[in-house]
Amino acid sequence: MQSLTTRLEMVFKQVRSARGSVKDGRLIDVGSDHGYLAVRCLEEGLVSNAVCTEIHKAPAQRSEKALIDAGFREVSEVFVTDGLNGVPLKENDIISIAGMGGLNIVDIITRALKDNGPEMMGKVTFVLQPQKSNDIVRKFLSETGFDYEDESVCKDRDIFYNCMRVVYKGRSSSITDEEACYGPLLIKKFNNGDKDVADYFRHLDDIFEIRKRSNPTVKAALEARKKNEG
Ligand SMILES: C[S@@+](CC[C@H](N)C(=O)[O-])C[C@H]1O[C@@H](n2cnc3c(N)ncnc32)[C@H](O)[C@@H]1O
């Protein structure tokens, strides 16, 4: 079985939750690099097919080799492309975009919505693991009409990561600066006593304490958090 880092294992678990009991669908891993996530999802029978996209040729070749070596040549495709360009979405697809900056993620989803239309976007699930700019990703998702199904956190080699599972509903909503910076679902988990989320929030507090000097969104979020935590 393909082993994954703690961070990718968290992404894998969100894919598994997204799949639920309906196994007949694809994983589209955008920015697949080594292809480990696609291999693991196929090995576990979570998906019937995997599509990997890569903007660069060398990582695309790595993904292709990993899939072929693991015996999945017939049920996988690898494309050198930007985001989801040239990969039309299908019902039940799970699209993972992990290990990338938030602005890149927003750009890829914006173009996917334009190319595939709102009806198809409502039939797939996105699993997103931004490396940074979580506040921008969360504001974009709410304003664009995505609902959050779950958000998880992990610590991998002393670095915290988060991963969101979202679905497009086409109902735009707004979130506060606090929700954008800390995550609406993570705030709920914190309020329910989740220890991992509490550790993550203490880490965010420390970072935001420095960043608030130059970032009004972060300043407002930190102040609201302190007030709401009492
Ligand atoms: C840091 S790696 C993360 C790999 C893997 N998803 C993971 O989480 O371990 C980011 C990968 O995304 C690819 N990438 C960046 N922007 C992309 C885009 N717009 N479309 C497709 N791939 C992209 C990069 O070439 C790189 O291989």
Side-chain angles (χ1 to χ4, degrees):
M1 198 67 75
Q2 176 66 58
S3 65
L4 303 174
T5 59
T6 303
R7 176 187 61 83
L8 261 187
E9 190 74 33
M10 169 178 68
V11 176
F12 167 77
K13 282 179 185 162
Q14 288 292 2
V15 173
R16 189 170 61 195
S17 300
R19 176 51 71 223
S21 55
V22 185
K23 303 280 191 252
D24 188 21
R26 303 184 298 177
L27 170 76
I28 306 180
D29 190 25
V30 179
S32 55
D33 196 358
H34 32 61
Y36 295 158
L37 181 65
V39 167
R40 177 70 180 276
C41 288
L42 285 164
E43 282 175 340
E44 298 251 10
L46 283 190
V47 293
S48 52
N49 290 75
V51 176
C52 290
T53 81
E54 250 302 332
I55 200 157
H56 296 119
K57 202 169 167 194
Q61 286 169 338
R62 274 200 290 278
S63 293
E64 194 160 28
K65 183 174 182 317
L67 286 158
I68 291 170
D69 288 352
F72 296 119
R73 186 195 290 269
E74 306 301 326
V75 290
S76 63
E77 290 175 287
V78 179
F79 297 101
V80 179
T81 189
D82 181 354
L84 288 159
N85 283 1
V87 183
L89 299 181
K90 292 183 189 169
E91 190 167 354
N92 283 333
D93 279 346
I94 299 167
I95 300 111
S96 53
I97 316 180
M100 260 187 235
L103 295 178
N104 206 0
I105 292 176
V106 166
D107 175 52
I108 290 167
I109 297 177
T110 302
R111 286 185 283 125
L113 179 55
K114 191 165 162 278
D115 292 347
N116 293 278
E119 199 181 325
M120 181 50 71
M121 282 294 268
K123 295 178 177 170
V124 304
T125 305
F126 284 85
V127 172
L128 310 174
Q129 188 266 304
Q131 295 290 81
K132 55 184 179 179
S133 311
N134 270 294
D135 55 329
I136 293 172
V137 174
R138 293 195 187 101
K139 281 197 173 178
F140 161 81
L141 291 171
S142 298
E143 282 162 14
T144 308
F146 283 86
D147 274 7
Y148 300 83
E149 289 201 327
D150 190 27
E151 182 159 355
S152 42
V153 295
C154 75
K155 198 175 187 184
D156 188 345
R157 286 162 288 179
D158 258 5
I159 300 175
F160 282 100
Y161 298 96
N162 60 306
C163 183
M164 309 166 201
R165 176 155 46 88
V166 297
V167 287
Y168 181 75
K169 297 287 182 192
R171 286 187 308 262
S172 177
S173 62
S174 62
I175 55 174
T176 63
D177 290 335
E178 181 192 13
E179 288 169 325
C181 288
Y182 289 85
L185 293 190
L186 293 182
I187 292 172
K188 277 193 189 141
K189 287 187 179 184
F190 176 92
N191 292 339
N192 287 332
D194 188 310
K195 200 186 153 316
D196 293 335
V197 174
D199 288 346
Y200 178 59
F201 276 16
R202 294 295 72 85
H203 160 78
L204 288 183
D205 291 346
D206 291 345
I207 293 176
F208 292 166
E209 201 57 55
I210 296 163
R211 209 174 284 167
K212 74 177 184 189
R213 293 174 212 153
S214 58
N215 187 326
T217 303
V218 164
K219 187 167 187 279
L222 193 58
E223 279 167 7
R225 195 72 220 124
K226 280 181 182 164
K227 198 167 138 218
N228 290 335
E229 275 187 36

